[in-house]
């Protein structure tokens, strides 16, 4: 499996992941390649190439219906990225002096704060007129 950081380093792949995330929060049961092409304004061969990389990294799942394929976000591989980033959110000179259990608690608070910040930003982006 490709290094997750290499996979998400590409802007087009991040755009695809964001699109799939946005559609999943609206309750969509998968997004077709043609919908991705239309939304992102990228060629079909380019989208297909990036979807293959995302499939290989297990960041998307695919459901086939006849000749159509519908892609959905699979977030489990992003846990590795999350685990790597969390210590950066909780970097605090005071935390460096805390005992180990308190550091883990600070990391959990940092993770919760980062998730809340993302949820608020995502909700704000979906407001009418945005």
């Amino acid at each position: 499996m490709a290094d997750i950081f290499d996979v998400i380093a590409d802007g087009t792949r991040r755009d695809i992941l964001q699109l799939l995330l946005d559609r999943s929060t609206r309750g969509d049961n998968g997004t077709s390649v043609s919908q991705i092409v239309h939304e992102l304004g990228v060629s079909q061969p380019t989208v297909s190439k990036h979807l293959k990389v995302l499939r290989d990294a297990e960041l998307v799942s695919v459901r086939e219906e006849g000749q159509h394929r519908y892609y959905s976000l699979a977030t489990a591989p992003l846990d590795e990225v999350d685990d790597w980033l969390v210590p950066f959110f909780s970097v605090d000179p005071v935390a460096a002096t805390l005992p180990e259990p308190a550091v883990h608690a600070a990391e959990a608070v940092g993770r919760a704060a980062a998730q809340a910040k993302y949820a608020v930003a995502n909700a704000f982006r979906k407001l009418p007129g945005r």
Side-chain angles (χ1 to χ4, degrees):
M1 182 160 95
D3 180 23
I4 191 73
F5 294 96
D6 289 335
V7 173
I8 63 173
D10 184 275
T12 302
R13 288 193 284 268
R14 288 193 311 272
D15 290 344
I16 292 170
L17 292 172
Q18 184 65 53
L19 174 66
L20 295 177
L21 174 64
D22 292 346
R23 288 175 163 267
S24 71
T25 59
R26 292 191 312 218
D28 288 2
N29 190 19
T31 304
S32 70
V33 174
S34 61
Q35 290 170 318
I36 297 169
V37 167
H38 176 75
E39 290 283 330
L40 299 182
V42 180
S43 71
Q44 186 275 326
T46 298
V47 168
S48 293
K49 175 188 82 166
H50 288 297
L51 284 170
K52 180 183 182 335
V53 173
L54 293 169
R55 268 193 330 269
D56 290 347
E58 299 176 355
L59 281 165
V60 297
S61 60
V62 63
R63 175 176 51 85
E64 295 184 25
E65 283 186 17
Q67 294 181 351
H68 299 284
R69 289 188 170 108
Y70 296 92
Y71 290 86
S72 299
L73 182 64
T75 59
L78 293 173
D79 288 341
E80 180 182 345
V81 176
D82 190 41
D83 291 344
W84 186 82
L85 284 172
V86 165
F88 294 95
F89 290 118
S90 60
V91 169
D92 182 353
V94 174
T97 64
L98 296 175
E100 188 78 16
V103 171
H104 289 297
E107 289 174 351
V109 169
R111 179 178 290 193
Q115 290 171 342
K117 178 181 175 185
Y118 175 80
V120 169
N122 198 32
F124 182 72
R125 215 179 66 245
K126 293 178 181 180
L127 290 174
R130 298 284 310 155

